[in-house]
Amino acid sequence: MKPKFILRLFSISVLALSTACTDLDVDIKSQNTEFPDSERAAEAILADVYAAYRGALGRDHWMAQTLSADEAVSVSMGTDWYDGGRYREFHLHNWTADNGLLPGMWNSASTGITLANNAIEIFEDLQPSLTARARAIRAYYYFVLMDNFGAVPLITGPVEKVPDRASREEVCRFIEAELLEIKDLLPATVSVATYGKATKYMAEALLAKLYLNWSVYTSQDVATYTSSITNEKLNQVVAMCDSIILSGQFNLTSHRFMEKFRPDNGYQI
């Protein structure tokens, strides 16, 4: 019976293929017959760009930054939380490129940059405000990489192969130029709709962080950097912070200190 069953199945398949529809020129019934170019479509495309932020500023980044700065100490109890010594290495300042925390930081930020580049390419022929948010968050991802790794590949569009690393100074100046160019194209009103998204004040806050360590980021050799080197951007730090404060969009005085760090802290804090 088995050979007959196979023969019948083959015959049915041939019949289905021979009678299938070959007319592909049919009317499109969907109302979305053109590539969407609305504000709502931009938000949908940018959703993945923002999602990569969770990994770029996630647990690995927090551990590397905090443990290496002595803000916290990771304690191992027996074999729990030892994890191959990855946390201990940052506390003792003897980590290497093989430390398990580093790939998460690098990969998440790099993924975010790729997604941002894709969004920028999609909306390149539309109004600049649609790409400004992608460029702002891309600048943030580059800040994470530049701050933690120094020289990194500078990719702003499709490439056939990963280019050589740009110097830390070059990446630093790229971040500054991008933020200065697009910050006034970003939303200047803070509300529930802009909470957690790129705004003018996000760009200015990132510029303040960049300027605060400008002389370190632009140093030819960070190993020889000393605090006696003049930071030419300190006035810009003040200007960016003043702009944020004087905007009147934020309130830091009417809430208890710990409330500012709660997950429901709100857009106004």
Side-chain angles (χ1 to χ4, degrees), residues 1-7:
M1 296 297 292
K2 189 173 182 181
K4 292 182 179 180
F5 173 75
I6 295 175
L7 179 61

Side-chain angles (χ1 to χ4, degrees), residues 256-269:
R256 290 190 295 272
F257 180 78
M258 291 304 296
E259 289 182 355
K260 298 173 178 56
F261 302 95
R262 292 176 179 171
D264 60 348
N265 57 12
Y267 65 88
Q268 76 284 358
I269 302 178

Side-chain angles (χ1 to χ4, degrees), residues 2 12 16 26 49-50 63 73 84 90 105 110 135 138 142 148 167 178 197-198 213 220-221 226 228 256 264-265:
K2 189 173 182 181
I12 293 171
V26 296
V49 182
Y50 285 116
M63 285 287 192
V73 178
F90 277 98
M105 297 165 56
S110 297
R135 292 171 66 184
R138 181 180 65 181
Y142 267 119
N148 288 279
S167 68
E178 282 285 283
K197 299 175 183 178
N213 288 305
Q220 295 299 311
D221 183 6
T226 66
S228 63
R256 290 190 295 272
D264 60 348
N265 57 12

Side-chain angles (χ1 to χ4, degrees), residues 175-233:
I175 296 169
E176 179 195 28
E178 282 285 283
L179 294 174
L180 289 176
E181 184 175 337
I182 56 91
K183 70 182 184 70
D184 291 328
L185 297 173
L186 296 168
T189 300
V190 176
S191 66
V192 173
T194 61
Y195 186 47
K197 299 175 183 178
T199 65
K200 175 182 178 180
Y201 312 109
M202 169 267 180
E204 290 178 337
L206 186 54
L207 279 168
K209 289 172 67 69
L210 189 74
Y211 290 146
L212 196 61
N213 288 305
W214 184 264
S215 54
V216 177
Y217 297 145
T218 59
S219 174
Q220 295 299 311
D221 183 6
V222 72
T224 61
Y225 171 82
T226 66
S227 58
S228 63
I229 296 177
T230 302
N231 185 344
E232 63 187 77
K233 297 286 189 176

Side-chain angles (χ1 to χ4, degrees), residues 223-257:
T224 61
Y225 171 82
T226 66
S227 58
S228 63
I229 296 177
T230 302
N231 185 344
E232 63 187 77
K233 297 286 189 176
L234 287 181
N235 287 335
Q236 282 89 328
V237 176
V238 176
M240 293 299 109
C241 292
D242 281 348
S243 178
I244 296 169
I245 295 170
L246 296 175
S247 71
Q249 299 288 320
F250 306 95
N251 186 347
L252 296 177
T253 61
S254 64
H255 301 81
R256 290 190 295 272
F257 180 78

